[in-house]
Amino acid sequence: MRTVAVAATDGMLHFELALAYEVFGARPDAVPGPWYDVSVCGTHPVRVGRFLLEPDHGLDALTRAGTVIVPALADVDADPPADLVAAVRTAHKAGARVVSLCTGVFVLAAAGLLDGLRATTHWAHTDQLAARYPAVTVDPDVLYVDNGTVLTSAGKAAAMDLCLHLVRRDHGSAVANVVARRLVVPPHRAGGQAQFVTTPVPAQDDHPLADVLPWAMRRLDQPLTVEDLARRANLSSRHLARHFHAATGTTPLQWLLTQRIRRAQELLETTDDSIDTIAAAAGMGTATTLRRHFHRTVGVPPDTYRRTFRTAPGV
């Protein structure tokens, strides 16, 4: 897997492409022995964001690589380039380990490499991936998925998590830690991408829930029932549930829980309040209840979340 080919085509995003080249293309001084041999492969000079990139080889070179990296595509609505899809499929058949970063997963899915497998991508595009490629089991909560010879990452910084995972697989944890220190990033992040997703409140003035949702948001610290929400909306509980599902995709109680978790996240980020105080303010009752629901929903305990997202004074 020492030979790494980074695919390049018009419309790719420069962040993920540059990130992969930085991880695999620069051997840390503290790491002895051979490192990766990295090349950029494409059919012509390609526009990557604001930059013009000159590939080292054509796409046919992907078939000679041990690892093929497919960076993110800017336009996920368009079909991936057919020549890139074909080259990635051929490379995998030839034995290459194929890796997608962020929305590069649409190339792997189009090539049929993810049929029957778990995969992930940026949380904003997981529904679209699942709808377009129903044979793929899309996991929206993880930072990356390792299927052995096919690997996918969530969005943006999660590409770094996957690249470091590959270094860890190939060279061991000690070397991956050295690379992470050089890049000034954690060698392994706790939890999944659920901790980075915000859940907006639907806002339509003429919607039956237009008044009840803000009303409930102002009272998250109070005990609220479905009957309370239905009474405020002047609806039966049955009709309330129907409108909730249409507007939010979930039930009233699940929506309430999500908003309470979000309130707890805000308080963890912006205050020094104790977990008990935050639990009360978010309507979760006790610290034990908050910790249980928070860990299950966000993927990390409240204390870990606070250390990760706490805004430093003056920043």
Side-chain angles (χ1 to χ4, degrees), residues 36-188:
Y36 299 98
D37 181 13
V38 181
S39 61
V40 178
C41 303
T43 58
H44 59 276
V46 298
R47 178 66 61 181
V48 181
R50 294 290 299 274
F51 307 101
L52 188 65
L53 181 66
E54 184 77 40
D56 304 310
H57 306 286
L59 288 176
D60 60 306
L62 298 184
T63 63
R64 300 189 294 272
T67 299
V68 172
I69 307 286
V70 182
L73 300 175
D75 186 359
V76 298
D77 294 320
D79 291 333
D83 54 353
L84 176 59
V85 171
V88 166
R89 185 187 297 118
T90 301
H92 186 255
K93 286 182 179 178
R97 176 175 62 183
V98 179
V99 180
S100 68
L101 306 180
C102 193
T103 53
V105 70
F106 284 85
V107 175
L108 275 60
L113 303 188
L114 296 172
D115 290 356
L117 299 178
R118 284 175 64 240
T120 194
T121 188
H122 192 291
W123 57 264
H125 303 294
T126 51
D127 288 345
Q128 186 174 358
L129 179 65
R132 191 184 302 180
Y133 301 102
V136 181
T137 301
V138 180
D139 190 337
D141 296 328
V142 295
L143 295 176
Y144 57 83
V145 175
D146 183 347
N147 288 301
T149 61
V150 181
L151 302 91
T152 58
S153 87
K156 296 300 177 184
M160 177 68 78
D161 294 290
L162 179 51
C163 289
L164 289 174
H165 171 70
L166 289 170
V167 173
R168 192 178 302 111
R169 268 184 49 172
D170 297 341
H171 297 276
S173 296
V175 171
N177 291 345
V178 170
V179 175
R181 282 195 294 271
R182 181 179 68 84
L183 296 172
V184 198
V185 297
H188 177 75

Side-chain angles (χ1 to χ4, degrees), residues 256-266 282 284 290 293-295 297-298:
L256 271 175
L257 176 61
T258 300
Q259 302 313 313
R260 285 180 164 136
I261 293 295
R262 182 58 191 147
R263 175 64 55 79
Q265 288 176 298
E266 293 172 354
M284 303 295 285
L290 173 60
H293 287 294
F294 195 96
H295 199 169
T297 302
V298 181

